[in-house]
Amino acid sequence: EKYKCPWAAQFSQMIMQAIELKKIIMPGDYGNPIQERARIEALLDELTRQKVSPGHVEVITFQKRILKHRAYLLTFLYHPEVPSHNNNSEQAIRNIKVKLKVSGMFKSSKGAQNYAIMRSITDTCKKNEQAILNAFLTIASS
């Protein structure tokens, strides 16, 4: 959108179509051929082969990065447990950023490492719907 590049608009539209498809695929259908998924894959292949105007240097760089990571881009259309977003990762990072903004920094690298370990255990327990305190008690008794 920033550069008003047709390629970027087409890419964005293709991603939106893939996200919409993810919402309607039934869990049992992921292993079967899906015509709409094949169409989106073909469109992605076409977009990675398209020439981008030389005036859009950052778009060209982005296209190269997409080509490099092409195999992973639409993974969420093949596995029901893979979300089409990275919100969980963003939320996990947010805790550390808030800690850094409030305290300014960690006093020692050991403190930062301990905080990261404790945050990792806490986030894993939340994700797996397990009792956080029980996990720490289990670790402490080992």
Side-chain angles (χ1 to χ4, degrees):
E1 291 177 359
K2 179 179 177 181
Y3 301 105
K4 307 219 182 313
C5 175
W7 184 90
Q10 290 173 347
F11 183 82
S12 178
Q13 185 178 20
M14 183 269 308
I15 292 293
M16 295 306 292
Q17 290 171 6
I19 291 170
E20 289 302 314
L21 177 60
K22 172 73 173 181
K23 292 176 184 176
I24 62 172
I25 299 176
M26 301 305 289
D29 293 338
Y30 281 89
N32 301 328
I34 301 172
Q35 187 175 5
E36 181 66 10
R37 180 174 60 194
R39 188 192 66 73
I40 291 170
E41 288 277 3
L43 181 56
L44 178 57
D45 289 337
E46 180 185 321
L47 285 169
T48 57
R49 288 190 303 265
Q50 266 184 21
K51 287 277 189 194
V52 176
S53 170
H56 297 112
V57 177
E58 290 186 18
V59 177
I60 292 169
T61 303
F62 178 69
Q63 184 188 39
K64 287 178 183 176
R65 197 172 325 123
I66 292 301
L67 187 57
K68 179 179 178 183
H69 301 288
R70 163 70 180 88
Y72 312 105
L73 193 62
L74 297 175
T75 301
F76 65 93
L77 292 179
Y78 291 90
H79 303 283
E81 67 277 2
V82 176
S84 60
H85 55 77
N86 68 344
N87 293 349
N88 298 340
S89 299
E90 295 284 342
Q91 289 172 354
I93 292 169
R94 186 176 305 130
N95 292 314
I96 293 172
K97 293 307 285 180
V98 169
K99 169 79 172 139
L100 287 173
K101 285 182 179 182
V102 170
S103 340
M105 65 178 168
F106 290 98
K107 294 188 188 252
S108 69
S109 61
K110 184 68 175 167
Q113 185 177 11
N114 288 341
Y115 179 82
I117 291 168
M118 290 172 49
R119 242 0 281 189
S120 176
I121 294 167
T122 303
D123 291 341
T124 301
C125 288
K126 285 181 180 179
K127 181 180 177 183
N128 295 324
E129 297 177 359
Q130 295 176 346
I132 298 167
L133 184 57
N134 288 344
F136 282 112
L137 289 173
T138 301
I139 292 168
S141 66
S142 302

